[in-house]
Every structure is written in structure tokens, then in C-alpha cells.
Amino acid sequence: MKTAERIVLYTGLALSLSLAAGYQWMASPAVASSARVADTRIATIDILGITEKMILSEKYLSARNTNTASQNKMLEDLSKGLQDVIARAGATQENTPERRALEQEFNSKQEELRRAQAQAQAQIEQFNTLQVAECYRAVITAANRLGAELGYTHVISTRTGEPTIRSNNVAGAVQEILARPVVLGPLGDDLTERLTRQLGLENVVAQPVPA
């Protein structure tokens, strides 16, 4: 995954997950009965981190590479056509009907290439976004299932590990802060590693944010 894609993924998902988590806390009753408190079991999972690993796994990385290669092949063919026009124009004399016709052809093919580049970029962005959505749904489904199997009543998405700010700008740093709504909790109730192993992602290494 390119660095720009990874940063977009990080900031977008971090904001969504943190806001969702914050809403869940605000929506909880301010006063609960002692019975309900006693029955409550809360687990935490780094949903964002696991989703990021899944996106970087071979299954999704291979599909992205194939899709990008397909788009690049189309652009290369158009670019070769444009280069051919340039070569033919260079072999003709200026201010001739043939040269003017080639200049018109060049302008037409250049515009076609520009449109194709914009369409290819949009297609790649849509493809990658669909992958993000698919991975996120898969992780959330697995997290719900694992939490229920272990008897938890609530599973909260939060960043885990050392609270180090890796971003090199304020906006990114704020997103990292918002992605960690849980500051303190029992280590035994963090299911991140367990879910990571369950999904077979323990050997996938997330790319660090550049300094």
C-alpha cells in the first residue's frame, strides 16, 4: 500500500471509529443499577490496527496490484499512441496540412489521456475504498463473535500499545489521539492479539507513519 493510501486510510478510519466509540459512551445511561454494573464486561480491541493489517495482507495487496497494473496498462497504451503522433509530427515540415492534422490529432489524444488518467485514479480510489469497507466489516464481525464467545457485553475499539504520536502534522496527531478513547484497562480484557491470531494476521507488519 502506498504511503498516501495508508495515511488516508488511517485518518479516515480513525475518525470514524473514535467518533462511534465516543457516541456509544455518551449514549450510555448516566446512572446504572448495581445489577447491570455487575453484569457488564468490557473488552477492547484495536480494530483499526487489525483492519490495517488485513488490508496489507497478501490477499488484498495482490488484488490491488492487479487492479493498478490493469489501469496502468490502459494508460501506457494511450501514452504510446501519443508518442507515435509526436514522432510522426517530428518527421513532417511545419505549416503544412499534414503537420496541422497531426497537431490536431495530438491535442485530441492528449485530452483523451488526461481524461483516462482521471478515470483511472478514481477507479483505483473506489477499488481501494471497497477493500477497506470489506476488511472493516470482516474485523467487526469477528470481533463481535469473539467478544460474545468470551462472555463480554461490550467491545470497544481503541488503539493499543505505546501511546506514541507518529504523525508529522497536527491533523494526523489529533486523529491518533481520538483513535485511543480507552486510556486504562486490564490487559486481560484486551483481545487485540487474540483476534489478530484468529484472523491469521500475526505475521503482517503495518507500515509506520513517516516522520
Side-chain angles (χ1 to χ4, degrees):
M1 178 180 289
K2 295 180 181 179
T3 300
E5 294 174 354
R6 205 214 62 75
I7 293 175
V8 169
L9 161 65
Y10 180 84
T11 56
L13 277 181
L15 179 58
S16 299
L17 293 176
S18 60
L19 289 179
Y23 175 77
Q24 291 170 2
W25 279 109
M26 290 187 292
S28 300
V31 179
S33 66
S34 58
R36 288 186 61 186
V37 172
D39 292 340
T40 298
R41 290 191 64 204
I42 299 175
T44 58
I45 299 180
D46 188 350
I47 297 293
L48 177 58
I50 297 177
T51 300
E52 186 177 33
K53 283 191 172 186
M54 183 174 288
I55 291 168
L56 292 171
S57 65
E58 180 58 30
K59 173 185 175 181
Y60 291 96
L61 179 61
S62 176
R64 281 197 306 280
N65 288 340
T66 298
N67 180 63
T68 300
S70 175
Q71 296 299 318
N72 284 336
K73 177 63 169 59
M74 176 191 64
L75 296 177
E76 287 172 3
D77 291 342
L78 291 174
S79 180
K80 287 179 181 178
L82 190 62
Q83 294 301 318
D84 176 66
V85 174
I86 294 174
R88 285 187 285 133
T92 61
Q93 294 182 351
E94 296 184 3
N95 299 320
T96 62
E98 183 181 3
R99 179 62 175 266
R100 286 192 290 271
L102 286 172
E103 289 174 351
Q104 291 179 353
E105 184 179 354
F106 172 82
N107 292 333
S108 176
K109 286 186 178 295
Q110 186 178 51
E111 181 59 29
E112 181 183 5
L113 178 59
R114 287 173 180 169
R115 288 197 303 268
Q117 288 173 332
Q119 291 171 355
Q121 182 61 41
Q123 193 278 341
I124 290 173
E125 184 69 18
Q126 181 182 31
F127 185 90
N128 294 348
T129 300
L130 290 174
Q131 278 199 339
V132 171
E134 180 179 330
C135 291
Y136 177 67
R137 283 194 301 269
V139 173
I140 286 292
T141 299
N144 285 336
R145 184 169 56 248
L146 178 60
E149 289 174 354
L150 298 177
Y152 287 96
T153 59
H154 299 71
V155 177
I156 299 175
S157 172
T158 186
R159 271 298 197 186
T160 57
E162 290 296 322
T164 302
I165 300 299
R166 301 177 296 168
S167 299
N168 58 2
N169 58 78
V170 173
V174 170
Q175 296 304 328
E176 291 190 58
I177 293 171
L178 293 176
R180 193 184 293 268
V182 177
V183 177
L184 177 65
L187 293 178
D189 289 326
D190 182 75
L191 308 180
T192 301
E193 290 188 10
R194 185 163 181 166
L195 184 60
T196 299
R197 291 194 301 271
Q198 188 179 93
L199 294 173
L201 301 171
E202 62 270 25
N203 294 324
V204 178
V205 179
Q207 298 176 354
V209 176

